[in-house]
């Protein structure tokens, strides 16, 4: 299943916003003559920041990220801010949606001149392959007459290789390898040291005459008489 839900399904009161967002994400480029996509209001000023990701560096699959939307009402009528939703799509075809992220309902009233910030968490699927994808986020809001949708982020992003967590088994395996290497070096050093000592001992015995300890004794005199 390519659809990823980060949070539990929205309550029944949010079904309308979820449906609007789904249509908005799937119809970014409607056929000529069809105007199914909601437009943004000229009185809504948006900005965004990713609080825990550097977009230029890329996203890790399976990791929860957060995009913070700054929303300012520059008009004369209050806005009712409804929800934020997101989707991941094939970078070569914006209509080919790979993942839809759950719309989060906010229900905040933003009066003229006010500015609010909204944090939206999302998570790329853990099994997502490394590569380039399109990522977009859309805000749904309304005034007393119309419902609006502003896609405040819509760019191609890089999905990186997943992080590999360092588990306790990895630490134990590394420690075992280090211990084996140390024991091998110690064993080789002991063997080399023992061999040098044995050679030195044999040489000392060879250089020491077997008759040196008989000097000055009757046995030495007896041996000398035999040699004469």
């Amino acid at each position: 299943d390519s659809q990823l839900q980060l949070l539990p399904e929205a309550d029944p009161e949010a079904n309308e916003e979820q449906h609007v967002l789904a249509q908005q994400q799937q119809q970014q480029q409607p056929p000529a003559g069809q105007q199914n996509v909601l437009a943004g209001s000229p009185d809504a000023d948006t900005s965004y920041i990713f609080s825990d990701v550097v977009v230029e560096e890329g996203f890790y699959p399976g990791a929860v990220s957060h995009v913070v939307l700054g929303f300012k009402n520059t008009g004369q009528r209050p806005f009712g801010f409804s929800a934020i939703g997101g989707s991941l799509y094939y970078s070569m075809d914006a209509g080919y949606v790979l993942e839809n992220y759950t719309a989060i309902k906010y229900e905040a009233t933003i009066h003229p001149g006010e500015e609010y910030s909204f944090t939206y968490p999302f998570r790329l699927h853990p099994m997502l392959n490394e590569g380039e994808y399109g990522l977009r986020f859309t805000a749904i809001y309304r005034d007393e007459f119309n419902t609006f949708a502003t896609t405040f982020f819509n760019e191609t992003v890089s999905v990186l290789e997943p992080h590999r967590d360092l588990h306790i088994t990895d630490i134990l395996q590394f420690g075992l390898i280090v211990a084996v290497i140390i024991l091998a070096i110690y064993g080789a050093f002991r063997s080399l040291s023992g061999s040098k000592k044995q050679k030195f001992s044999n040489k000392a015995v060879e250089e020491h005459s077997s008759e040196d300890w008989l000097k000055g004794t009757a046995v030495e005199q007896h041996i000398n008489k035999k040699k004469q």
Side-chain angles (χ1 to χ4, degrees), residues 80-100:
F81 191 91
S82 301
I84 295 176
S87 65
L88 189 80
Y89 60 90
Y90 182 51
S91 60
M92 302 300 292
D93 183 1
Y96 185 39
V97 177
L98 300 173
E99 297 176 3
N100 277 322

Side-chain angles (χ1 to χ4, degrees), residues 60-223:
Y60 286 101
V64 178
S65 304
H66 300 80
V67 59
V68 181
L69 167 66
F71 187 95
K72 184 176 182 179
N73 185 350
T74 61
Q76 302 300 318
R77 292 190 294 268
F79 284 128
F81 191 91
S82 301
I84 295 176
S87 65
L88 189 80
Y89 60 90
Y90 182 51
S91 60
M92 302 300 292
D93 183 1
Y96 185 39
V97 177
L98 300 173
E99 297 176 3
N100 277 322
Y101 304 120
T102 301
I104 297 180
K105 189 176 180 181
Y106 297 92
E107 291 303 334
T109 300
I110 306 175
H111 295 283
E114 290 184 337
E115 183 173 5
Y116 278 56
S117 62
F118 303 93
T119 299
Y120 180 79
F122 65 98
R123 182 171 69 99
L124 304 186
H125 197 283
M127 300 302 293
L128 194 64
N129 292 329
E130 180 183 9
E132 300 291 318
Y133 298 87
L135 181 64
R136 62 188 166 216
F137 299 102
T138 301
I140 300 294
Y141 53 100
R142 60 184 181 273
D143 61 14
E144 57 184 313
F145 302 109
N146 301 296
T147 299
F148 303 98
T150 296
T151 298
F152 59 90
F153 181 85
N154 187 10
E155 295 183 15
T156 299
V157 299
S158 298
V159 175
L160 310 174
E161 290 187 41
H163 274 306
R164 187 175 185 272
D165 295 329
L166 187 63
H167 299 290
I168 186 66
T169 53
D170 298 324
I171 298 175
L172 292 176
Q173 289 178 356
F174 178 75
L176 179 61
I177 293 173
V178 172
V180 170
I181 294 175
I182 292 176
L183 287 175
I185 294 174
Y186 178 74
F189 178 76
R190 287 291 302 272
S191 175
L192 183 62
S193 298
S195 176
K196 287 183 177 180
K197 288 182 179 179
Q198 183 66 30
K199 290 181 179 179
F200 178 77
S201 177
N202 292 340
K203 183 178 181 182
V205 171
E206 290 174 359
E207 290 180 351
H208 191 279
S209 172
S210 60
E211 297 180 1
D212 287 346
W213 64 280
L214 297 176
K215 288 182 179 180
T217 65
V219 176
E220 181 187 20
Q221 294 176 1
H222 179 71
I223 292 174

